[in-house]
Amino acid sequence: MKSILCKTPFAGQTLGIIFFILLLAPEALSQSPVLQYQANYVAASSTLNSYTAFPTNPGTFSTCNSNNYTYTWRNGSDNQLKLVSFTANSKTYVISGISNVAVKLRRVNNANVTGVRNILYSETSASSASSCVTPRQLDFKAPYNDDMSIFLNNNVLNHGTDNIFANASNGDGNNNNIERVDVIFTDGIQSSLPADAGFILCDRGNNNSHDGFRIAAILGIDAGNNPTSFGAVKICTPGNGSNNGSWGHPSISNGNRLLAAYILRKDPADTYLRVSSNVTQEIGGVFFSFSDLGIVANQKIYGYCLLGPDGTVNPTSAQLMNINDAAVYPTGTTEAQGGGLDLISVTSYFGTDQALASSYYQQFNGFSENSSALLQWSLDNVTKGSIISLERSENANYFTSIYSYTFLEIAGKSYKDIPGKGIFYYRLAAKAPNETVIYSRVIQLRIESAEKNWKLYPTFSKSGEKITISNITNAEYTVLIHEINASTIFQTTLSARNRKGEFFLPRNLLTTGIYYISLEKNGIRMPGTEKIIFKAD
C-alpha cells in the first residue's frame, strides 16, 4: 500500500505504470489526506468459530504446508474495529447510516485466477503475527467472513481485502481477478454541501507506501442496481501526505492502529479460508468529497466505482462500462504497477454535522447519563404523517428502531434509552408516504453501568471563571458545554494532572441560565454530566 495524490488527468493521457503520473503537469489536489481516526472495537457474533485446514501453496507458510492449522474466530470481545469519524481538511466527518448499499466486484478471469477467489487480511488476537507458529493455531479477533463483497460492505478496519487489483507476480500466490469495485447506494444520495460529504478510502500498509487507484462517481443505475453511467475519473497516485499531499497516515496518538494480521485466501475449491502470509501494518486514509468527484449541490449519485491505477488514464463513461476492455482494465496488473491496494470498509458515507443535518433535522443531540442514553431532537420541513424512528446500533452499520411516532407538527422530542453497557450508535429516520427515508447524523455514546465518578466545581459561575474537574485520570479531555436541549454551544480542551484539570468559561458567549458540562476522552463521551448555573456579566 502506497500513498496517494488525487488528480483529474488531461484528456488523451495514458498510463504505463503508476509512477509515470509524476511526470504530469502539476494540478490542484482533489482528495484530502485523513489526519485522525476515531475507531472503537465492538463485540460481534460469528457463524463459524473454528476449523482446521492446510496453509496455501505457494505462500510464506509453504515451509510448514504439511501441517494442518487450527483457525479460531471471534476471540475475546474486541472483535470488529469500527470507524466512526475522522478528521480531514480541518473538519470532522461523522458516519451516517444509510440503508440499501451493495458492493459488486467485477471480475475478469486472467492467466493466474479464474472464478471467485477471496483474499483478505484479518487481525490476530495474538500479540504478533508470525509465520509457521507453534502450536499450529491462528486466532482472530473478527468473526469469520470469507466473502469480499460482504466484508467490504461495512465500516470495519481490522478485516479487509488484500491486493485487490493485483493480477500477477505476487510471491504468495495472492493474485486477484477483480477489475472494478462498484459501491452502490441503491436509493441514491445527495448533499447540499458537496464539499463536506463524501467517502473515505482506507488502505492497510506502511507510512509513505499506500497504493494508487482510480475513482469515479456512479451517476445512474438500472433496475438491477448496476451502473449505467459514470462521472469523470479521478486518479490517486501512490505516496503519502508527507511527500505529495495525498493519503494520510495518522499517528497512533491520532487514532491509528498497528494491526498484526494474517493474509488468508479461499480458492473456488476451498471450503474455508487458508493462511498464506503474515503482516504487521497500520492504516492510511484518503477522503473524497462529492465536490472532489465533480458532483454539485443536491445532485443525486448512486455511489462510486474503484479501479486499478493502470490502463487508459481518462476513460469515458462508455469505456468504464465495458469491464472486458483490456485497455481500461488490464488483466496483468502487478503490485509494482500499483495493484496492491488493501481496501477496507468502503461503503460508509461520512459528512460534517452541517452536511449530515438535512432540513428535516433542526437538532439531534445526545449524551450518556449513568446507565442511560439521553436523546433529544426537533424536526422541521417534514411531511405530516411521516413516521419518525429513533434507531440504535451496536456497530454503526446495522440499525434497529427502538422508538417511533407519527409526525404531526414541529416539536421537540426526547427519549431515554437503557441499552446496557458498551458503545452504542443512534440516528433518526424520517419516512413520508412514497418518499425515500431521510437519515440524520449518527451519534456515538458510551454507556456505563457504573455511576459517574468525576466532579466539577464551582457549580455557580460567571463569565471567564476558572472551573475545576476532579477525580479523573491523567489524560487529555474535551470539555463540552450544552444548553438544556443538549445542543453543544462551546468546547475546549483540558489536561488533567494529579487527577484534576482546569478550564475557563468563555466570555461574552453564555447568557444567564442553566447549562450542562460533559467530558470526552479520546473522542468517547464519559458517563454523566454536571449542571452549572451561570450568571452573565
Side-chain angles (χ1 to χ4, degrees):
M1 304 172 43
K2 299 109 187 158
S3 186
I4 297 177
L5 164 63
C6 186
K7 303 180 179 182
T8 302
F10 301 108
Q13 290 175 337
T14 57
L15 180 65
I17 62 174
I18 194 66
F19 304 111
F20 288 178
I21 282 293
L22 299 176
L23 303 178
L24 300 179
E27 301 175 38
L29 293 177
S30 295
Q31 93 289 9
S32 304
V34 174
L35 304 178
Q36 186 175 39
Y37 300 120
Q38 185 195 326
N40 304 299
Y41 282 101
V42 299
S45 60
S46 182
T47 57
L48 177 66
N49 291 324
S50 67
Y51 59 87
T52 59
F54 289 102
T56 64
N57 189 16
T60 302
F61 282 70
S62 294
T63 56
C64 49
N65 194 46
S66 59
N67 297 287
N68 252 325
Y69 271 72
T70 298
Y71 302 72
T72 70
W73 299 86
R74 192 194 169 276
N75 288 281
S77 58
D78 289 344
N79 306 128
Q80 293 178 318
L81 181 60
K82 293 279 188 173
L83 177 66
V84 178
S85 65
F86 61 88
T87 300
N89 277 333
S90 301
K91 300 174 184 177
T92 297
Y93 295 87
V94 182
I95 191 171
S96 177
I98 293 182
S99 58
N100 301 322
V101 184
V103 175
K104 298 191 177 185
L105 304 178
R106 310 299 183 179
R107 298 177 183 267
V108 178
N109 290 336
N110 57 51
N112 297 301
V113 186
T114 60
V116 178
R117 167 180 279 183
N118 287 282
I119 307 173
L120 61 93
Y121 74 87
S122 195
E123 184 183 14
T124 178
S125 59
S127 58
S128 62
S130 303
S131 62
C132 295
V133 294
T134 302
R136 306 297 191 192
Q137 180 166 318
L138 303 176
D139 303 313
F140 298 94
K141 291 185 177 183
Y144 182 83
N145 192 331
D146 60 17
D147 189 328
M148 297 168 75
S149 63
I150 293 178
F151 63 69
L152 279 175
N153 195 351
N154 55 43
N155 57 326
V156 175
L157 297 178
N158 64 332
H159 189 94
T161 66
D162 189 71
N163 297 336
I164 194 165
F165 293 127
N167 307 133
S169 301
N170 179 268
D172 293 310
N174 292 331
N175 301 300
N176 273 303
N177 59 353
I178 298 169
E179 296 300 325
R180 195 178 78 216
V181 177
D182 293 341
V183 180
I184 301 170
F185 295 80
T186 57
D187 295 329
I189 52 176
Q190 61 194 66
S191 177
S192 60
L193 298 173
D196 286 354
F199 313 101
I200 183 176
L201 285 305
C202 293
D203 175 53
R204 190 208 75 240
N206 298 321
N207 195 11
N208 296 317
S209 299
H210 295 287
D211 289 283
F213 61 89
R214 292 179 289 171
I215 182 171
I218 297 174
L219 303 183
I221 56 175
D222 62 19
N225 295 324
N226 297 302
T228 57
S229 62
F230 299 90
V233 172
K234 309 294 181 179
I235 295 178
C236 285
T237 62
N240 204 70
S242 62
N243 58 29
N244 65 15
S246 54
W247 283 91
H249 190 102
S251 64
I252 297 295
S253 62
N254 282 318
N256 212 329
R257 306 294 176 110
L258 184 64
L259 300 178
Y262 288 98
I263 311 301
L264 304 110
R265 187 171 78 232
K266 181 185 177 186
D267 291 326
D270 292 333
T271 303
Y272 301 119
L273 290 165
R274 300 191 296 152
V275 67
S276 65
S277 62
N278 55 295
V279 66
T280 300
Q281 292 177 320
E282 297 176 2
I283 301 168
V286 60
F287 175 66
F288 286 87
S289 70
F290 280 46
S291 295
D292 294 335
L293 297 176
I295 305 304
V296 299
N298 300 315
Q299 178 183 356
K300 181 176 284 190
I301 65 172
Y302 294 88
Y304 61 94
C305 74
L306 300 173
L307 56 155
D310 54 350
T312 304
V313 174
N314 194 17
T316 65
S317 178
Q319 288 175 311
L320 284 176
M321 287 293 297
N322 185 4
I323 195 66
N324 293 302
D325 184 347
V328 179
Y329 302 103
T331 57
T333 306
T334 66
E335 289 180 77
Q337 292 172 314
L341 181 69
D342 302 326
L343 188 63
I344 316 168
S345 63
V346 297
T347 58
S348 298
Y349 169 58
F350 287 80
T352 63
D353 279 350
Q354 293 80 8
L356 298 181
S358 75
S359 59
Y360 279 19
Y361 303 104
Q362 297 301 300
Q363 291 180 354
F364 180 42
N365 301 290
F367 52 86
S368 58
E369 179 66 59
N370 300 328
S371 60
S372 303
L374 305 179
L375 292 307
Q376 296 177 327
W377 64 91
S378 61
L379 308 179
D380 198 357
N381 299 319
V382 180
T383 303
K384 285 189 176 182
S386 296
I387 302 301
I388 310 300
S389 297
L390 175 64
E391 299 179 343
R392 182 181 68 213
S393 172
E394 295 184 21
N395 58 22
N397 198 36
Y398 300 105
F399 286 80
T400 57
S401 176
I402 59 173
Y403 170 68
S404 63
Y405 65 98
T406 301
F407 181 82
L408 298 176
E409 60 183 7
I410 299 173
K413 287 280 187 177
S414 62
Y415 185 84
K416 181 177 182 179
D417 185 36
I418 306 177
K421 184 177 181 179
I423 297 173
F424 297 91
Y425 308 90
Y426 296 88
R427 72 181 183 188
L428 291 171
K431 177 67 170 70
N434 302 317
E435 292 184 9
T436 301
V437 177
I438 303 296
Y439 294 101
S440 72
R441 70 186 182 99
V442 174
I443 292 175
Q444 175 191 271
L445 297 176
R446 181 188 291 274
I447 309 301
E448 302 286 351
S449 58
E451 297 290 319
K452 179 182 74 67
N453 56 13
W454 58 276
K455 300 178 181 180
L456 175 150
Y457 60 90
T459 55
F460 291 86
S461 56
K462 59 184 179 180
S463 179
E465 185 163 359
K466 181 170 67 176
I467 303 295
T468 300
I469 294 179
S470 62
N471 203 30
I472 53 178
T473 58
N474 296 339
E476 301 296 317
Y477 295 85
T478 299
V479 180
L480 302 102
I481 300 179
H482 312 277
E483 294 182 306
I484 291 179
N485 65 7
S487 61
T488 301
I489 60 173
F490 177 77
Q491 71 178 54
T492 187
T493 57
L494 176 151
S495 296
R497 301 291 183 269
N498 299 319
R499 295 185 58 78
K500 69 177 181 180
E502 299 171 338
F503 70 97
F504 292 89
L505 291 175
R507 295 186 179 274
N508 305 318
L509 175 63
L510 307 180
T511 59
T512 297
I514 297 174
Y515 296 88
Y516 292 86
I517 306 291
S518 65
L519 279 183
E520 287 185 356
K521 181 182 178 182
N522 296 326
I524 303 299
R525 189 72 58 87
M526 297 180 63
T529 61
E530 281 279 358
K531 182 173 69 175
I532 63 169
I533 299 174
F534 181 82
K535 186 179 186 306
D537 294 335

